Amino acid sequence: MTVRVLAMAALALAVASPAAHAADPRYPDWPCTQAKVPEISLAAVWAGPPLDDVQNKWKDDAKISALVAKLSARKTPLDEAEKSVKEFLAGSAADKTANAKLLFAGLFDTLNAQRSQVMSGLERVSRKQREAADKIREDTLALQALQGATPRDEAKVEALSNELVWKTRIFEDRHKVVRFVCEVPTTIDQRLFALGRVIQQEME
């Protein structure tokens, strides 16, 4: 039992080591292999007319605000979102350019905010993982000391073994979730770029 526990703990610590040495020293808590880009650049996703004159005005339009919320939701399939953009702008007539700018301004603000929230969450979990790895390391050393003690206290060995199993499983489960969530910022980038492209095409 305890040999297996120590092996699991060693695996958890091996998993933790990349997080302890962040690829970019500017972001020591960033746990993903993808480079951290704190914000999406407007120039990277929008080649349409300037948005300076619309700013936060999209929030004052109930119809556009509702559409932004729908298009920004990850549960809305991208093809469905693109279709909704086309339908909305097709019915905008003379206001098409103004509505297109408002719609993209809303998407840019909302998706950037979503992205920041996800990235902050990832860094928060990364800090927890580092603390958990330190605790697993301490418990592993303590367990090894108990195993080598004379006389050996089997009850303490068993209790610490069970605790280490539990902590290691939580650590590994959290690591799997982090790997999955690391893909989310890229997915948001792709959604914003795709919807921006459709909006610009409909303006032409």
Side-chain angles (χ1 to χ4, degrees):
M1 171 70 174
T2 50
V3 173
R4 179 170 168 272
V5 170
L6 291 171
M8 285 175 63
L11 177 62
L13 295 174
V15 164
S17 58
H21 306 286
D24 190 332
R26 292 175 300 170
Y27 310 115
D29 294 328
W30 183 242
C32 308
T33 55
Q34 301 91 325
K36 181 182 178 182
V37 180
E39 287 190 343
I40 305 170
S41 161
L42 180 62
V45 290
W46 179 252
L51 303 177
D52 299 344
D53 57 331
V54 295
Q55 296 293 336
N56 291 323
K57 291 178 182 175
W58 64 272
K59 295 178 182 177
D60 301 327
D61 188 310
K63 192 171 182 180
I64 286 178
S65 293
L67 184 56
V68 165
K70 177 188 174 184
L71 301 179
S72 300
R74 290 195 292 278
K75 66 181 180 182
T76 304
L78 185 56
D79 55 351
E80 183 184 321
E82 290 175 343
K83 184 181 175 187
S84 295
V85 168
K86 291 175 182 176
E87 289 172 352
F88 171 69
L89 293 178
S92 293
D95 297 328
K96 183 182 279 191
T97 297
N99 282 339
K101 288 169 66 176
L102 285 168
L103 181 59
F104 187 76
L107 285 169
F108 184 76
D109 288 352
T110 304
L111 288 172
N112 242 330
Q114 266 187 27
R115 205 172 164 279
S116 295
Q117 190 175 29
V118 169
M119 294 170 91
S120 294
L122 280 165
E123 291 184 322
R124 198 161 50 246
V125 172
S126 176
R127 288 190 289 273
K128 282 186 180 178
Q129 286 290 80
R130 194 178 301 127
E131 291 168 7
D134 288 342
K135 188 59 182 159
I136 289 170
R137 193 175 286 109
E138 286 174 17
D139 287 353
T140 301
L141 292 172
L143 180 59
Q144 288 172 332
L146 282 173
Q147 287 175 316
T150 306
R152 178 162 151 159
D153 188 329
E154 293 298 343
K156 283 186 178 179
V157 168
E158 184 66 18
L160 189 52
S161 293
N162 290 337
E163 189 178 338
L164 202 46
V165 167
W166 177 68
K167 286 178 181 174
T168 303
R169 281 182 181 152
I170 290 174
F171 183 94
E172 290 171 342
D173 288 345
R174 200 182 282 153
H175 179 69
K176 288 173 187 171
V177 170
V178 165
R179 281 171 52 195
F180 172 76
V181 178
C182 276
E183 301 295 332
V184 174
T186 301
T187 303
I188 292 173
D189 293 352
Q190 291 168 345
R191 175 174 287 262
L192 183 58
F193 179 78
L195 293 177
R197 185 176 54 198
V198 172
I199 291 169
Q200 288 169 86
Q201 287 170 350
E202 292 302 305
M203 290 171 66
E204 294 172 358

